[in-house]
Amino acid sequence: MVILGVESTAHTASVGIVTERAEVLAIASDMHRPAQGGIHPREAANHHVEVLPGLVRSALETAHVRPSEIEAVAFAQGPGLGPCLRAGATVARTLALAWNRPLVPVNHCVAHVEIARVLSGLDDPMLLYASGGNTQVIAHASGRYRVLGETLDIGIGNFLDKLWIALGGTFPGGPALEREARLGSQLLPLPYSVHGMDVAFSGMFTAAKALHDQGAPRPDIAYSVEVTAYSMLTEITERALAHRKRDAVVLGGGVACNERLRQMVRTMVEERGGTSFAPPAALCVDNGAMIAWTGLLAFRQGLVSSVEGSAVQPRQRTDLVPAPWRSAVAATART
Ligand code: ATP
Ligand code: FE2
């Protein structure tokens, strides 16, 4: 079985093609990079409308797959920016109608988690989903993903992006901040904001910007932000492991590209005698393959949609959508 997936929730338009063995046959992506400032939803949507038809062609070519071999068309239904979501959904509906194939709506957060999980080979890990708009510690139970802890204000990636722009850089900030942090060495004081299983970043944003205004070296600010923010994520992940009596962690989402975060989580998990896994960077950031793969899991459960019922859902949370493809019995037994 071969499925095509369309991703367009935010900055990145992407088309992926995967098989039922989770082989990624193709990913064709194009990221909208504003010359300055953050993402403007309408400009990003215009970008997606322009590039998506070419990305579909390019993914089919790379995968050496004909449209007649595609069994279903999946798309990211939410969460995300309304205009961007509508751009991808329109392309997916068009393909489904033109090829006479079922349309499969997919939750973008669940897709980040599922691609990471299948690549990890771990059956029932704790999941740390750290991306632009989301920061969640997640476990599966009774037919859906449950959010055990999350950000109380902004997603960690949006925090890093916003901060990097405030420090004079351009979008995306996470990877640039990672490079800058390698040059830093002094740990500057920043608010460490963990509230039970939840975290918050806006206080750290204000404090880091104030350090910059006072003339603190940018590499030290970047280093201190990374160490502080990733310690917070590591702490809530460890708390979730302890409460749920698990020993494996899988990381997903764009911020899971970060070497320091991977290392900190790995050290914590190994000290507890467990294992951790993070996918290659191309499958951590937004990509069509994760939508295709999760679409395949949903399609096998009959979770298809009519074109009329396929409206995008900009606020669709991780824990709002069913994920019945996982063994409910095994999952409940462990939670
Ligand atoms: P969401 O999945 O919550 O909707 P998104 O789709 O906008 O958010 P992703 O594509 O999953 O986000 O991730 C993009 C984010 O990852 C950006 O904020 C970017 O700065 C961050 N990021 C990418 N690489 C790195 C890195 N090496 N270190 C830290 N952050 C990174
Ligand atoms: Fe994402």
Side-chain angles (χ1 to χ4, degrees):
M1 187 190 294
V2 179
I3 291 213
L4 179 141
V6 179
E7 160 60 35
S8 73
T9 55
H11 39 74
T12 299
S14 179
V15 177
I17 299 177
V18 302
T19 70
E20 78 280 3
R21 291 207 300 275
E23 293 159 306
V24 177
L25 301 183
I27 298 178
S29 303
D30 196 320
M31 187 183 195
H32 172 58
R33 291 172 192 267
Q36 58 176 33
I39 297 287
H40 185 285
R42 182 119 304 286
E43 283 168 18
N46 288 344
H47 163 269
H48 299 347
V49 168
E50 231 165 78
V51 301
L52 274 169
L55 296 177
V56 172
R57 265 192 299 277
S58 149
L60 289 170
E61 270 170 34
T62 307
H64 298 295
V65 163
R66 289 186 302 277
S68 59
E69 294 171 86
I70 302 283
E71 224 153 305
V73 178
F75 73 101
Q77 185 175 34
L81 305 170
C84 297
L85 287 166
R86 281 190 285 277
T90 304
V91 169
R93 289 181 198 119
T94 309
L95 295 177
L97 287 171
W99 297 342
N100 194 22
R101 288 290 182 269
L103 187 61
V104 188
V106 165
N107 177 278
H108 175 89
C109 310
V110 171
H112 272 296
V113 160
E114 283 298 356
I115 194 74
R117 191 175 69 90
V118 69
L119 295 172
S120 75
L122 295 163
D123 177 45
D124 194 21
M126 190 62 67
L127 298 134
L128 174 59
Y129 166 39
S131 62
N134 289 280
T135 309
Q136 298 181 331
V137 178
I138 299 169
H140 190 271
S142 311
R144 65 181 64 201
Y145 281 101
R146 313 284 168 170
V147 177
L148 307 180
E150 64 185 316
T151 178
L152 297 173
D153 45 30
I154 53 174
I156 179 146
N158 288 355
F159 156 64
L160 299 172
D161 294 336
K162 225 173 100 182
L163 179 63
W164 186 243
I165 290 167
L167 302 188
T170 55
F171 178 88
L177 206 88
E178 178 170 34
R179 288 190 291 276
E180 189 87 350
R182 288 201 195 106
L183 309 172
S185 56
Q186 207 199 333
L187 191 60
L188 306 169
L190 288 169
Y192 183 93
S193 194
V194 170
H195 307 273
M197 293 294 298
D198 300 324
V199 288
F201 298 107
S202 48
M204 202 186 320
F205 174 82
T206 308
K209 196 168 169 308
L211 286 171
H212 178 64
D213 294 342
Q214 289 153 19
R218 203 163 73 163
D220 287 341
I221 299 176
Y223 170 71
S224 307
V225 162
E226 282 211 336
V227 169
T228 310
Y230 298 150
S231 297
M232 287 160 50
L233 297 191
T234 307
E235 179 182 333
I236 61 168
T237 308
E238 180 166 28
R239 186 161 300 133
L241 286 177
H243 278 300
R244 294 284 172 128
K245 300 189 173 40
R246 310 267 175 114
D247 60 5
V249 175
V250 168
L251 293 97
V255 181
C257 294
N258 187 277
E259 230 5 270
R260 189 185 310 273
L261 175 62
R262 290 175 181 228
Q263 185 57 51
M264 287 171 79
V265 171
R266 193 181 310 133
T267 303
M268 177 274 288
V269 173
E270 284 174 1
E271 277 174 7
R272 300 177 60 85
T275 50
S276 73
F277 173 85
L283 291 161
C284 283
V285 295
D286 288 356
N287 66 86
M290 70 184 194
I291 304 299
W293 171 245
T294 311
L296 193 144
L297 297 173
F299 176 61
R300 287 203 295 219
Q301 299 289 316
L303 296 173
V304 299
S305 168
S306 63
V307 166
E308 296 73 24
S310 66
V312 301
Q313 299 194 20
R315 296 188 179 276
Q316 187 183 60
R317 275 179 60 87
T318 313
D319 43 13
L320 265 182
V321 293
W325 46 83
R326 297 200 34 188
S327 157
V329 177
T332 330
R334 277 177 220 203
T335 50

